[in-house]
Amino acid sequence: MNLIFKIIIIVIFSTIVNARNKGETEISTENGIEVFQNEKYYLLKKNVIIKSDNFSLNADNVKINFNKDMYDIVEIDAKGEVMFDSITFNSKGSGERLNLKVKLEEIKINGIDSILSTDDVEMFSDGYIKVNNLNGKFSIKGQNSKLINEGIYIEGETIDGIFSNINNGKEIKSLNISDNSISYVRNQDSEMFAKKINFNNNTSIIELIDDVTIIRDGEKITGDYGTLDTKNNSYKIKSNNKSKVKAIIKNNE
Amino acid sequence: MSNVDIEEPRFAINNDEKKINIAASEGNFLNKDEILLRENVKFKSNDFIIETENVIFDRKKETAKSKTKSIFKSKNTTILSDGFNIYDQGNKITFYGKSFIVLK
């Protein structure tokens, strides 16, 4: 009887360990699992690997909050050398810590060298990157925060915005960039510097506030406030002191 | 003469929310409170079943520890481990060693 039981356990172990069926989520850990049934969470310890049809994750340690039963996952909190790839979110990334709110479709990556990328957009930060897949809102905060999207390069301590989904890709609907030292935006023909830079896709206007500099075609214009119309490629710069708008025009000949 | 102290032992862990019934083929007293349960050891509650070979059950503390390969099954969930520890009146379960979870 004991031998039969041993054989059954070994067969079940080898079957489960070797094959994940479609629709199943497989999780492996090197140092065990702690289940807190009343508190509705479990801890996965050391070299955690999660694999499902639409999601994969590697991390040192993971906490999973569940609703009623263990399979009904509400939130994943992963720490230590986190790497993930999500087909549902159309994104992948890495960082020191990842928090995924499953039903809210909100993903947040924290820590030095955080990266989150989709087919169209790459985001980087040493603080955090947060994206909500349902409403398109995103936020990048901290040192070395950057966003790169189809020829546009953005740097700033805080980059907030909204994506909209178009043709299986992501388009930036609005952007608010701020940095106590200076924010920076570069598109195909201009470089822009200001403490605050705002963009609205409906009006196609980039608004630059405080310590403004626009560099284009060898011209460098500085002032206190500026707007750049991306539709007709024109720009205006104003100064609080009317005599202070400064233009440096390079002779390229 | 059999070395077995209890044949077909049956115990339970009770808490406010659930009862976990414990069954095995054989049991031997290690001391006043601890019993070594052997062969076809099963923990069964309304929510889950755990099966393994050997378990030390402490009937005073209502804890159970196993260092043999174990299978936990609940709704759409299977956990395989190298043993487990049930404590806090069955509220908390630690699965030891290299472990696998399959969620359906």
Side-chain angles (χ1 to χ4, degrees):
Chain A
M1 190 69 172
N2 200 18
L3 181 66
I4 294 168
F5 186 71
K6 275 183 185 170
I7 291 168
I8 290 169
I9 285 192
I10 289 165
V11 168
I12 292 172
F13 256 77
S14 54
T15 305
I16 289 177
V17 168
N18 290 328
R20 181 180 65 80
N21 295 318
K22 200 178 174 200
E24 289 181 346
T25 298
E26 182 187 276
I27 302 170
S28 65
T29 78
E30 257 185 43
N31 202 17
I33 302 154
E34 283 184 69
V35 182
F36 297 78
Q37 298 191 91
N38 292 348
E39 295 82 359
K40 303 282 183 202
Y41 71 85
Y42 47 102
L43 304 175
L44 308 165
K45 291 154 49 174
K46 201 176 174 188
N47 289 343
V48 179
I49 300 170
I50 301 176
K51 282 182 189 167
S52 71
D53 297 342
N54 297 318
F55 182 76
S56 64
L57 181 138
N58 292 47
D60 290 343
N61 296 291
V62 177
K63 179 185 178 186
I64 294 184
N65 293 310
F66 58 94
N67 191 10
K68 191 166 179 286
D69 296 294
M70 287 178 71
Y71 71 94
D72 189 10
I73 294 172
V74 174
E75 187 175 4
I76 296 173
D77 199 32
K79 286 181 192 170
E81 296 190 30
V82 182
M83 288 174 66
F84 81 96
D85 191 343
S86 168
I87 292 170
T88 309
F89 281 73
N90 182 31
S91 61
K92 55 187 167 185
S94 58
E96 291 175 353
R97 185 172 182 174
L98 173 137
N99 180 273
L100 172 63
K101 293 183 171 67
V102 176
K103 280 171 189 158
L104 297 173
E105 292 196 23
E106 188 175 279
I107 202 157
K108 186 177 179 185
I109 304 169
N110 286 64
I112 306 286
D113 292 330
S114 294
I115 301 170
L116 194 151
S117 59
T118 69
D119 290 342
D120 313 288
V121 184
E122 287 179 292
M123 290 174 263
F124 306 86
S125 183
D126 287 343
Y128 73 78
I129 303 164
K130 189 163 81 174
V131 176
N132 187 301
N133 200 40
L134 289 180
N135 58 26
K137 283 186 180 173
F138 66 90
S139 185
I140 311 169
K141 267 197 172 77
Q143 293 283 307
N144 299 315
S145 292
K146 280 182 270 185
L147 185 148
I148 302 167
N149 168 233
E150 288 180 357
I152 299 169
Y153 178 92
I154 297 161
E155 273 183 18
E157 204 175 349
T158 301
I159 305 169
D160 292 323
I162 302 172
F163 289 122
S164 61
N165 292 317
I166 48 148
N167 303 327
N168 298 324
K170 286 195 188 302
E171 184 186 66
I172 295 171
K173 263 171 71 180
S174 68
L175 258 179
N176 301 98
I177 309 147
S178 63
D179 195 311
N180 280 336
S181 42
I182 206 77
S183 309
Y184 174 69
V185 175
R186 185 179 68 227
N187 65 12
Q188 279 148 355
D189 49 20
S190 305
E191 287 184 278
M192 290 156 265
F193 300 83
K195 286 202 167 170
K196 285 184 186 174
I197 303 175
N198 302 322
F199 170 68
N200 185 329
N201 194 39
N202 292 333
T203 59
S204 306
I205 300 286
I206 297 172
E207 184 186 32
L208 303 120
I209 303 163
D210 291 337
D211 292 344
V212 176
T213 302
I214 296 178
I215 301 172
R216 183 202 277 179
D217 297 334
E219 290 180 0
K220 183 178 177 184
I221 317 286
T222 59
D224 294 310
Y225 179 84
T227 54
L228 189 143
D229 190 330
T230 56
K231 254 185 197 162
N232 59 27
N233 229 4
S234 64
Y235 62 88
K236 292 177 202 166
I237 291 196
K238 288 191 271 186
S239 173
N240 297 334
N241 178 347
K242 281 181 185 171
S243 64
K244 272 189 78 178
V245 172
K246 188 177 171 188
I248 298 169
I249 301 168
K250 281 187 186 168
N251 186 346
N252 292 326
E253 285 177 19
Chain B
M1 193 174 155
S2 170
N3 292 330
V4 177
D5 295 331
I6 322 165
E7 286 186 359
E8 305 289 332
R10 301 284 182 269
F11 297 98
I13 295 172
N14 294 289
N15 68 31
D16 296 339
E17 303 205 356
K18 63 169 81 79
K19 182 179 179 184
I20 303 167
N21 292 306
I22 305 161
S25 299
E26 300 171 355
N28 282 89
F29 283 101
L30 299 176
N31 54 48
K32 187 165 67 79
D33 297 318
E34 287 184 320
I35 301 127
L36 172 64
L37 303 173
R38 288 186 290 138
E39 293 189 29
N40 297 329
V41 185
K42 278 189 187 176
F43 290 71
K44 195 172 180 183
S45 77
N46 288 335
D47 299 329
F48 67 82
I49 296 171
I50 304 177
E51 293 175 303
T52 191
E53 280 181 72
N54 297 331
V55 169
I56 295 173
F57 175 64
D58 188 317
R59 56 184 179 172
K60 189 177 178 189
K61 293 180 187 164
E62 295 196 326
T63 60
K65 286 181 189 175
S66 171
K67 288 188 177 173
T68 53
K69 285 203 183 299
S70 311
I71 302 171
F72 167 100
K73 287 180 187 171
S74 68
K75 190 180 175 188
N76 294 337
T77 304
T78 304
I79 299 175
L80 308 177
S81 70
D82 293 336
F84 63 87
N85 178 14
I86 299 179
Y87 59 106
D88 192 18
Q89 292 179 299
N91 171 41
K92 291 166 188 161
I93 308 172
T94 298
F95 294 94
Y96 295 130
K98 201 168 167 62
S99 306
F100 297 89
I101 305 179
V102 177
L103 306 170
K104 287 181 181 170

